[in-house]
Amino acid sequence: MTDETPTQPMPPEPPPRRLTRSTTDSLIGGVAGGIGRHVGVDPLAIRITFVILSFAGGLGVFAYLAFLVFLPTDDPDAPPLRWSLARTVGAGLLVVVALAFLIPNWLWGGEIVVLLAAGVVVYLLIRVVRDDGAGHLGQLAARVAIGVVLLALAAGAFAAAAAGSALGGGIAIGGLIVACGIGLVGGAFRGGARWLIAPALVLALPLGAVAAADLDVRGQWGDRTFRPVDVADLAGGYEMGAGEMRIDLRDVELPPGRTDLHLALGMGEIDVLVPEDLCVTTHAEVGLGAVDTGDGEQGGVHLDVDDDRRVAPGVRHVHLDVDIDAGALRVGDRLDSLGPDDRWGRDRWNEIDLSGGPNRAACAGTA
Amino acid sequence: MTPRAGFDPASLVAGVILIALGGLLLLDQADVLDLRFAYLLPALFGAVGGILLACGLAGPPRGRS
């Protein structure tokens, strides 16, 4: 009897599992089935994620189409995926359409050239890495560059998540974070899905900041100057989503007594320029930022500023009721630097600052 | 006691933390809660810290079985 034991041949290493579209678990193009199989998550969770993302500016639809374009199928008889010109142009057009949909006012400026150049660079890098067409250093440089591109994408996603939250997409983004959590819990029993942590935090941190500041930037964006001329112009107040709101009250005809003016801004700055002989009182609520009504600047989170000027009866008096989610309010009765050819730099507001604050003497009726 | 092959406790902990954090943010967005920085910043820091701690204690992922 020998103690020799028959040696078992070592099983061959399984080939690395590639991300492919599934032909067996497919509702539309097999994208969710393929992703679910690859990361060890129920494809239903992936499908729910796509649906939730679709409510965030159509992101889910674009993401699905992008996967449909880029992912090869798991059908062994299908021709291999080639980075053909048609596929590249198609993918590029998808990106352009997605950007045009998400940021309609941005895309058609000079930045389109930068976007095209970035697309060419990313395409060449992908070609180098996928086609093994470079030496070791070239591959290393390409991978570093792709890492930089991914970091830039993460920064962009961070900004997009913040903007999406502030524009009212907070429910969708919160749902995505929960979906990532569910994917992680499900993936934990199939080897882990830690890659979901990064996108979830990229979404959670800006949404948290937006939620804490109660930021809502729906409405007009940009720099606007409002010059009311009579009290009827003030009745509806002024509201903007984001940007710089300038209210010039120097030419408005006001009746004796109190006139209320409501100002609301999601994010940015409100400058209110008042005539020297006008009494102005202010109640301002600022989620995150600063208020300066002439008594020194107050800054911080959840500011509630109520100035205590006493107003004599019958004095022309504007009461500002200001609501800013994130930003600053300044109220003043003069401009620091005057334009050379116009009264008080009327057409040069971008270059000058408010200062002074409203006149206390005007509230006492002695101005 | 050895953990089950293919089980990643860090993913489980991170998932539970993210579900809790996402739920908290959803409640705020649905106006059920009104989160302020005083409450939300500790929650965010706690979530990130908890996830980092879980990943650090669990070590690198073992890969799928």
Side-chain angles (χ1 to χ4, degrees):
Chain A
M1 185 174 173
T2 66
D3 55 357
E4 288 180 1
T5 56
T7 56
Q8 297 287 332
M10 292 290 288
E13 283 279 320
R17 190 159 52 175
R18 294 180 62 208
L19 178 58
T20 54
R21 284 185 283 123
S22 172
T23 51
T24 54
D25 187 359
S26 168
L27 285 183
I28 301 174
V31 170
I35 295 175
R37 181 180 57 198
H38 185 76
V39 300
V41 175
D42 191 330
L44 182 62
I46 307 293
R47 290 186 181 111
I48 291 172
T49 304
F50 275 121
V51 170
I52 293 173
L53 268 177
S54 298
F55 289 104
L59 198 58
V61 176
F62 291 120
Y64 192 92
L65 288 174
F67 278 120
L68 202 59
V69 169
F70 284 109
L71 288 188
T73 175
D74 62 0
D75 183 357
D77 298 328
L81 178 70
R82 305 293 300 176
W83 280 84
S84 66
L85 185 62
R87 186 181 290 272
T88 305
V89 171
L93 286 176
L94 269 181
V95 172
V96 169
V97 170
L99 285 175
F101 191 76
L102 293 172
I103 18 182
N105 297 326
W106 172 81
L107 185 64
W108 311 116
E111 293 86 350
I112 189 79
V113 179
V114 179
L115 183 69
L116 287 174
V120 170
V121 170
V122 171
Y123 171 67
L124 291 175
L125 287 172
I126 291 173
R127 284 290 298 266
V128 167
V129 172
R130 287 179 66 98
D131 298 348
D132 202 17
H136 176 68
L137 277 179
Q139 291 259 339
L140 186 64
R143 289 180 191 281
V144 169
I146 286 178
V148 172
V149 170
L150 287 176
L151 276 178
L153 283 176
F158 191 91
S165 310
L167 285 168
I171 293 275
I173 293 176
L176 272 177
I177 297 166
V178 172
C180 286
I182 293 171
L184 272 161
V185 170
F189 299 94
R190 301 184 184 187
R194 295 189 194 182
W195 63 273
L196 280 169
I197 294 173
L201 289 180
V202 163
L203 293 173
L205 296 179
L207 176 59
V210 168
D214 289 330
L215 189 59
D216 184 351
V217 294
R218 282 172 285 190
Q220 278 190 324
W221 284 43
D223 294 346
R224 301 278 190 279
T225 300
F226 302 99
R227 293 192 174 94
V229 293
D230 58 39
V231 71
D233 293 340
L234 304 179
Y238 298 99
E239 294 188 2
M240 281 179 57
E244 188 165 340
M245 178 194 291
R246 308 181 192 103
I247 310 293
D248 186 347
L249 297 178
R250 290 174 296 175
D251 296 330
V252 68
E253 296 287 338
L254 293 172
R258 170 170 164 158
T259 302
D260 287 296
L261 174 59
H262 176 68
L263 305 174
L265 178 66
M267 184 168 59
E269 185 170 303
I270 297 179
D271 288 343
V272 183
L273 182 59
V274 300
E276 288 182 56
D277 59 348
L278 180 65
C279 172
V280 180
T281 56
T282 307
H283 173 239
E285 292 186 6
V286 179
L288 172 67
V291 174
D292 185 356
T293 60
D295 298 328
E297 184 172 292
Q298 301 179 56
V301 295
H302 298 297
L303 289 174
D304 192 342
V305 176
D306 211 348
D307 63 20
D308 56 353
R309 287 182 175 84
R310 295 181 60 121
V311 183
V315 167
R316 287 190 310 130
H317 163 213
V318 169
H319 179 72
L320 300 174
D321 179 23
V322 184
D323 186 359
I324 301 176
D325 294 342
L329 166 70
R330 289 185 302 170
V331 182
D333 60 5
R334 66 175 186 269
L335 299 162
D336 277 345
S337 61
L338 305 182
D341 52 3
D342 44 31
R343 185 170 72 95
W344 283 13
R346 183 176 296 276
D347 299 315
R348 297 168 60 81
W349 199 309
N350 283 333
E351 302 169 23
I352 49 187
D353 287 322
L354 288 165
S355 66
N359 192 342
R360 283 182 179 278
C363 294
T366 59
Chain B
M1 181 179 153
T2 57
R4 278 187 290 166
F7 174 68
D8 181 24
S11 290
L12 181 65
V13 172
V16 170
I17 288 175
L18 284 173
I19 289 171
L21 183 62
L24 194 67
L25 293 171
L26 273 177
L27 289 176
D28 175 83
Q29 294 295 306
D31 290 332
V32 177
L33 294 178
D34 183 17
L35 294 179
R36 297 298 181 100
F37 279 106
Y39 304 110
L40 200 56
L41 280 181
L44 285 173
F45 287 143
V48 174
I51 290 172
L52 288 175
L53 198 62
C55 290
L57 290 174
R62 281 183 294 276
R64 301 176 191 92
S65 59

